[in-house]
Amino acid sequence: MPLELMLSIAESPLPKIIEDTAEIDKLRILVAAQLVTAHLPDVHSPIQKAEVTSVTPQGRAALEKAYLDLNLPNLPNLPTEV
């Protein structure tokens, strides 16, 4: 699920490199929704490697809402766009 990937990104030091093609497909969804910013490889590139640079304010709001809806513990201090 893309939201789980975004949480993993938010909890990681940025920039974060992603090389798994299934995760890159999820990342494309997050970028299209403007929840994260990332440098994505061309779909047809033989080397699939993406670099996530930030969680946008919209991404942070989506994570905060998901945490509230699921009654999860406190949201970690998320890095955001600069």
Side-chain angles (χ1 to χ4, degrees):
M1 166 177 252
L3 189 60
E4 291 170 352
L5 175 60
M6 187 168 56
L7 180 58
S8 170
I9 291 166
E11 293 176 331
S12 301
L14 296 177
K16 177 178 175 121
I17 302 297
I18 296 178
E19 298 183 81
D20 179 77
T21 54
E23 286 192 345
I24 291 173
D25 288 341
K26 294 174 189 175
L27 185 59
R28 291 181 195 286
I29 294 167
L30 295 172
V31 169
Q34 299 180 350
L35 299 175
V36 300
T37 57
H39 302 285
L40 297 168
D42 183 66
V43 175
H44 302 293
S45 173
I47 299 172
Q48 291 293 299
K49 185 176 180 179
E51 179 183 34
V52 183
T53 55
S54 71
V55 176
T56 67
Q58 296 92 329
R60 182 178 175 80
L63 284 174
E64 287 173 348
K65 182 178 180 344
Y67 264 69
L68 288 175
D69 289 348
L70 297 174
N71 285 329
L72 296 174
N74 293 333
L75 187 64
N77 188 14
L78 301 177
T80 57
E81 283 186 305
V82 287

